[in-house]
Amino acid sequence: ISRSGAPAKERTDSSRAGKTPIPSLGEALGQIPTGIGSDLSEGYKANPFYFDPSLRDHVKLTVTPSNTGCGEGGKQLIKPFYINSAKGDAKTFQWCDDGTCHLSLEMGGDTLHNDVGFLKLRGCPLHEGYTVPYLRVMKVLLASYDKLHIGWGACSEAETSCEVGPDVSMSPGECKTLTHPSKPSMKYDVCYDGPGVY
C-alpha cells in the first residue's frame, strides 16, 4: 500500500534473466545437425526388430537338384541352372556352378515361373541324349513370423510330364525335399534362408 492509500502497482521484470528464450521455427531447424537423418536411420536399423521393408518383397532360397543314379548322391552327372521363364528374358538364366542355386525370389501368388532345372543324361548315367527336368516355384507368400508358403510343380521333360505338388510351408532356416510327384528319382532340396536378397 502506497502512502497515498492507493494500491501499489505490481512490478514486472522485463529482463530475460532466468528464462530460456523460445526460438523461432527457423532458429530451431537451424540448430539440428545436418547428419541427424543418417544417424537416426543407422540407429533405427541397429534395432533388432527393424527390417527394411523393401527387402520383404523377396525371399532367399537355395535349391539343390538331384537325380537318383546320376553319380554320387545323384548330383555328379547333372548341371543345375535357374531361369525366370515368366519374364521370357534370357538374362535371367544362370548356371548354378556349385550344384546349388542361390535365389532371391520375388513375392507373388500362382503366377510365378521361377524354374530351377538341370541338364541330365537321358537314361543317366547312360548317354542317350539330354533331358531338362525342372522344379517350378509358382507361388511365394510370407505369413506371420516370416513363415514361407510356396506352391510348386515339377516337370520331367521340359514342358511335358509336369505335375503340381502340394503347397509347402517353411520357417527361416528350414529345409525340405520336394520330389517330382510321379518321378521319385528327381528331387530338389529347398532351404529357406528368410526374407531379403542375397
Side-chain angles (χ1 to χ4, degrees):
I1 297 176
S2 66
R3 289 183 186 166
S4 64
K9 292 182 180 179
E10 288 186 10
R11 295 181 64 187
T12 57
D13 184 1
S14 60
S15 74
R16 291 182 167 258
K19 294 184 180 178
T20 302
I22 299 174
S24 68
L25 179 59
E27 291 172 332
L29 292 175
Q31 294 174 9
I32 297 175
T34 55
I36 194 167
S38 60
D39 292 344
L40 288 175
S41 177
E42 291 307 311
Y44 187 51
K45 290 178 183 177
N47 183 324
F49 296 107
Y50 171 80
F51 197 89
D52 185 343
S54 66
L55 298 182
R56 293 190 66 84
D57 295 340
H58 292 75
V59 296
K60 298 181 288 185
L61 288 179
T62 60
V63 182
T64 306
S66 64
N67 196 107
T68 304
C70 292
E72 187 177 335
K75 300 171 186 174
Q76 285 184 322
L77 302 177
I78 64 175
K79 189 170 179 65
F81 65 86
Y82 165 77
I83 188 167
N84 184 333
S85 58
K87 292 186 176 180
D89 184 354
K91 291 178 183 175
T92 66
F93 180 90
Q94 64 188 50
W95 290 111
C96 306
D97 294 327
D98 62 354
T100 296
C101 298
H102 301 267
L103 311 175
S104 298
L105 302 184
E106 292 181 79
M107 306 286 287
D110 293 325
T111 58
L112 304 177
H113 288 78
N114 295 294
D115 299 339
V116 175
F118 56 94
L119 292 178
K120 85 175 191 75
L121 297 174
R122 190 184 302 275
C124 188
L126 302 175
H127 193 310
E128 301 172 5
Y130 292 94
T131 60
V132 186
Y134 62 87
L135 169 79
R136 173 167 288 171
V137 177
M138 300 174 289
K139 176 170 60 179
V140 178
L141 300 172
L142 273 184
S144 300
Y145 302 103
D146 295 330
K147 195 170 190 70
L148 173 68
H149 299 283
I150 61 174
W152 64 281
C155 299
S156 59
E157 299 282 341
E159 291 293 332
T160 63
S161 305
C162 298
E163 297 180 48
V164 176
D167 284 8
V168 172
S169 297
M170 304 172 73
S171 297
E174 188 175 1
C175 297
K176 290 191 175 178
T177 299
L178 306 182
T179 302
H180 189 297
S182 63
K183 306 274 186 182
S185 62
M186 297 176 184
K187 305 178 190 304
Y188 302 85
D189 295 329
V190 179
C191 295
Y192 170 45
D193 294 333
V197 296
Y198 284 113

